[in-house]
Amino acid sequence: MSEKAKFWILLGLLLASIALLAYLNYSSERLFIG
Amino acid sequence: MSEPPRSKLRIANNLLFACIVVINLYIIAAPLWPQVSYWWQAHHSSRRSDLTQLIHQQLAKTSAKPQPNSLVIPAMMLNQPTLEGPESNWFNLLKQGIWRWPASSTPDQGGNTVFLAHRFSYTGPHGAFYYLNKLKPGDEIGVVWSGKTYTYKVASSTEVLPTDTSIENNTANAEITLFTCTPLWHPVNRLVVVAKLETNP
């Protein structure tokens, strides 16, 4: 695999990781009941 | 446009890989870190017995300094003021700590007093009720309210759906309801602890 292809895959994984962290943080702060 | 040299791309890829590893390690490890802290306090400090002593000092009014309205829970190593505020401001209040549900009762009036707090969030890993799952039936809870200390004994610990508002209903007997999110990584339910009044000052 070329370095350029690896770069785009890793960039995608980084963005997915950040999105997962943001989602988990958001869901943990929705404590409100009802 | 010329392509970046291979060595620069390789450095960028290594950096991206390192960032991915760090973020994912944080996602996995952050919810567990307070467990380590709890274990350390349980084995290397007298905080739990100090808090039990504090409740009894407050009851006997021999404490050196009066406390603001607060929850003192030795089994959770917790001694923290409670916040008052309107429902419309719930998000900010919960970010600051323990919030008394404004529609619920207060310890001096009897009935059901409801306190809620975050268990865990990635921007503040150690929520006030992180250790709520450590409470077992019979554990002691002290509530300092308007300068008086009320003690409660844990009666039950259950999980309910977030839509189950019955936990906030008023009750004939004096009790407190503490609730937070559960489980840690994907908090879809609510962990609810109910404690019955033991000592009314």
Side-chain angles (χ1 to χ4, degrees):
Chain A
M1 193 186 287
S2 72
E3 289 294 326
K4 200 171 179 182
K6 275 188 201 167
F7 173 79
W8 288 112
I9 290 168
L10 287 169
L11 190 63
L13 285 172
L14 178 66
L15 293 176
S17 300
I18 292 169
L20 177 66
L21 181 59
Y23 168 72
L24 290 173
N25 193 54
Y26 167 82
S27 65
S28 66
E29 290 187 340
R30 313 306 293 177
L31 174 62
F32 201 63
I33 200 159
Chain B
M1 199 168 74
S2 62
E3 286 202 5
R6 282 180 80 86
S7 61
K8 278 193 178 171
L9 263 180
R10 191 165 292 155
I11 292 169
N13 286 349
N14 288 340
L15 277 174
L16 283 174
F17 183 73
C19 289
I20 292 165
V21 169
V22 168
I23 290 172
N24 284 284
L25 277 179
Y26 182 71
I27 287 173
I28 295 165
L32 297 175
W33 176 247
Q35 303 273 12
V36 178
S37 163
Y38 184 90
W39 178 88
W40 183 262
Q41 285 191 65
H43 289 86
H44 296 92
S45 84
S46 58
R47 183 158 168 78
R48 187 171 175 156
S49 54
D50 290 348
L51 290 175
T52 306
Q53 206 177 350
L54 178 68
I55 292 174
H56 294 281
Q57 279 176 347
Q58 294 277 347
L59 276 174
K61 303 193 187 311
T62 55
S63 176
K65 50 180 180 181
Q67 281 207 311
N69 291 349
S70 50
L71 279 180
V72 184
I73 310 179
M76 289 169 62
M77 316 270 183
L78 179 87
N79 177 12
Q80 196 166 317
T82 58
L83 302 166
E84 294 287 311
E87 217 172 286
S88 56
N89 197 24
W90 70 272
F91 191 84
N92 290 327
L93 287 161
L94 283 175
K95 266 196 171 298
Q96 293 168 47
I98 305 166
W99 176 41
R100 185 188 66 82
W101 186 261
S104 73
S105 187
T106 53
D108 53 346
Q109 290 177 335
N112 187 17
T113 307
V114 181
F115 294 101
L116 57 156
H118 280 310
R119 184 152 187 217
F120 169 81
S121 75
Y122 281 94
T123 48
H126 193 160
F129 281 178
Y130 182 93
Y131 304 121
L132 196 64
N133 63 330
K134 303 277 185 199
L135 285 182
K136 303 279 178 285
D139 282 342
E140 189 173 42
I141 296 175
V143 180
V144 181
W145 192 264
S146 302
K148 293 178 178 170
T149 303
Y150 301 78
T151 64
Y152 298 80
K153 280 262 168 36
V154 174
S156 66
S157 176
T158 51
E159 277 187 32
V160 300
L161 292 171
T163 49
D164 184 359
T165 55
S166 66
I167 62 168
E168 298 154 4
N169 291 347
N170 205 8
T171 54
N173 297 322
E175 61 185 46
I176 55 170
T177 300
L178 315 176
F179 77 85
T180 190
C181 294
T182 199
L184 279 177
W185 278 274
H186 191 233
V188 289
N189 290 330
R190 302 293 176 258
L191 177 62
V192 183
V193 170
V194 174
K196 309 280 184 193
L197 184 69
E198 276 281 303
T199 317
N200 193 345

